[in-house]
Amino acid sequence: MELFGKSKRAWLQTFLALPHGIPSHDTCGRVFARLNPQRFQECFVAWTRAVAQLTRGTLVSRDGKTVQASLDRATAASPLPMLSAWCSDHGGLVMGQIKTDTKANEITAIPELLHLLAIKGCMVTIDAMGCQTAIAGQIRAQEGDDLLALKSNHKKAYKAVKQYCHAHIEPHLAWRTSENFFDAFDDAHGRTVRRRVWAITALTALPELAKWPALQAVIVVETIRAASPGASITSDYRVYISSLIRSATVFVAMIRQHWDSENKLHWSLDVTFNEDRCRIRKDHAPENVVAVRHIALNLLRQEHSHQMSLRQKRLLCGLDEHYLLTVLSGAT
């Protein structure tokens, strides 16, 4: 930051008063270490709401990521786990983030993150860690809808759904309508994958799900894979529950869109921003710098005048001051 500031001092002085010059490396470090992360988070969320309102039908994915290199052996501080809310609309935006004490504490952090977001009319997707009745109830209380991954952490419900699907849904052709059933092959990633999806809305036969608030649909996804030609074929099942009734085709699109948080957020942070190699680790600095990366990622994804990769956009920002202003104008 110090080096960039010194090389761009004349440009920065066109809109900043710099009576004492560019802050030193240590000064920048002290500022980020002492900056109140809660207040910074409030400013971040206010800005994202101004840039892109969450409208009815928007899908918001919640997923966690650990900043591996923030481990501090001197103080025995663990790597920083961050929980983010990702919206694939508007080119892709981080709508909010919050620090968790450990990866296992995401369950307590999810309600805090949800409180920061205006999710009325939105579809919130959460993996199995957040598949809790209290979290589903909070989403409904905030007038949103949910699509939650149900796994063996809810053993009885998960087992009941799989048994019901195998016995009463999967073998019966009557279930294979355009609304209830989706079946497609995909060989886009060097392997052949077949996805079969059933959307079940008649839930009286599943009393194990009665405790879930406003539950309307159960989605069962069977994934059949052949890693390579001639390789053995494997099959696995995933189960989701939702407070909305939609066709199987719509549900499978939502489920796949949930993983944009991995492909367009976490992958970009690791590969484009080298986040897992960042050694910033003092006090509040790791959490605040994560927010700065999210701001930068949002700005770069909002800029559409140049069709190029995020890495190329970052490089061009350092080379071309006019383009840097174009990217920064997305903050207003």
Side-chain angles (χ1 to χ4, degrees), residues 54-60 118-124 139-140 142-146 244 246:
L54 291 177
T55 57
R56 181 170 293 276
T58 298
L59 189 142
V60 179
I119 58 172
K120 181 178 180 180
C122 298
M123 172 67 87
V124 179
I139 293 171
R140 296 298 298 139
Q142 292 183 230
E143 300 184 61
D145 287 291
D146 57 64
L244 275 181
R246 293 291 185 269

Side-chain angles (χ1 to χ4, degrees), residues 19-85:
H20 304 292
I22 300 298
S24 69
H25 170 279
D26 291 344
T27 298
C28 292
R30 287 193 295 269
V31 168
F32 281 105
R34 297 179 183 178
L35 189 66
N36 186 314
Q38 286 74 35
R39 292 289 298 134
F40 195 18
Q41 173 63 224
E42 291 171 9
C43 295
F44 177 89
V45 173
W47 170 64
T48 56
R49 286 181 180 177
V51 171
Q53 292 285 341
L54 291 177
T55 57
R56 181 170 293 276
T58 298
L59 189 142
V60 179
S61 306
R62 184 237 53 96
D63 204 7
K65 181 182 184 299
T66 300
V67 184
Q68 297 294 342
S70 60
L71 167 70
D72 190 352
R73 292 184 176 86
T75 61
S78 300
L80 175 70
M82 292 293 293
L83 190 66
S84 301

Side-chain angles (χ1 to χ4, degrees), residues 148-168:
L148 310 177
L150 181 72
K151 292 188 177 179
S152 53
N153 55 333
H154 296 281
K155 188 174 182 179
K156 289 184 179 179
Y158 180 71
K159 183 178 179 180
V161 171
K162 286 189 68 175
Q163 289 178 342
Y164 179 68
C165 182
H166 290 326
H168 302 286

Side-chain angles (χ1 to χ4, degrees), residues 212-228:
W212 291 93
L215 182 63
Q216 296 290 323
V218 173
I219 305 95
V220 179
V221 180
E222 181 191 18
T223 305
I224 305 169
R225 294 186 181 90
S228 61

Side-chain angles (χ1 to χ4, degrees), residues 119-284:
I119 58 172
K120 181 178 180 180
C122 298
M123 172 67 87
V124 179
T125 64
I126 307 178
D127 58 17
M129 178 77 74
C131 186
Q132 306 291 331
T133 54
I135 291 174
Q138 180 182 342
I139 293 171
R140 296 298 298 139
Q142 292 183 230
E143 300 184 61
D145 287 291
D146 57 64
L147 178 62
L148 310 177
L150 181 72
K151 292 188 177 179
S152 53
N153 55 333
H154 296 281
K155 188 174 182 179
K156 289 184 179 179
Y158 180 71
K159 183 178 179 180
V161 171
K162 286 189 68 175
Q163 289 178 342
Y164 179 68
C165 182
H166 290 326
H168 302 286
I169 305 298
E170 189 176 348
H172 291 82
L173 295 177
W175 272 94
R176 301 187 184 185
T177 67
S178 58
E179 284 296 307
N180 297 326
F181 184 64
F182 171 88
D183 189 3
F185 287 85
D186 179 7
D187 58 2
H189 299 284
R191 63 182 185 274
T192 302
V193 179
R194 182 185 183 186
R195 290 183 182 86
R196 300 200 299 171
V197 182
W198 290 268
I200 306 167
T201 55
L203 305 180
T204 53
L206 293 168
E208 294 82 359
L209 299 176
K211 66 179 181 178
W212 291 93
L215 182 63
Q216 296 290 323
V218 173
I219 305 95
V220 179
V221 180
E222 181 191 18
T223 305
I224 305 169
R225 294 186 181 90
S228 61
S232 59
I233 296 175
T234 61
S235 173
D236 65 83
Y237 287 81
R238 288 169 290 146
V239 178
Y240 299 84
I241 58 177
S242 179
S243 60
L244 275 181
I245 295 177
R246 293 291 185 269
S247 69
T249 303
V250 172
F251 274 129
V252 75
M254 289 180 176
I255 291 167
R256 300 196 71 180
Q257 191 177 348
H258 169 81
W259 296 110
D260 278 354
S261 60
E262 290 287 349
N263 302 327
K264 295 183 179 179
L265 173 57
H266 298 165
W267 187 89
S268 295
L269 291 172
D270 285 340
V271 175
T272 305
F273 289 84
N274 288 323
E275 181 172 75
D276 277 347
R277 298 177 64 185
C278 179
R279 294 291 292 140
I280 295 173
R281 56 195 182 278
K282 187 173 178 61
D283 299 331
H284 299 308

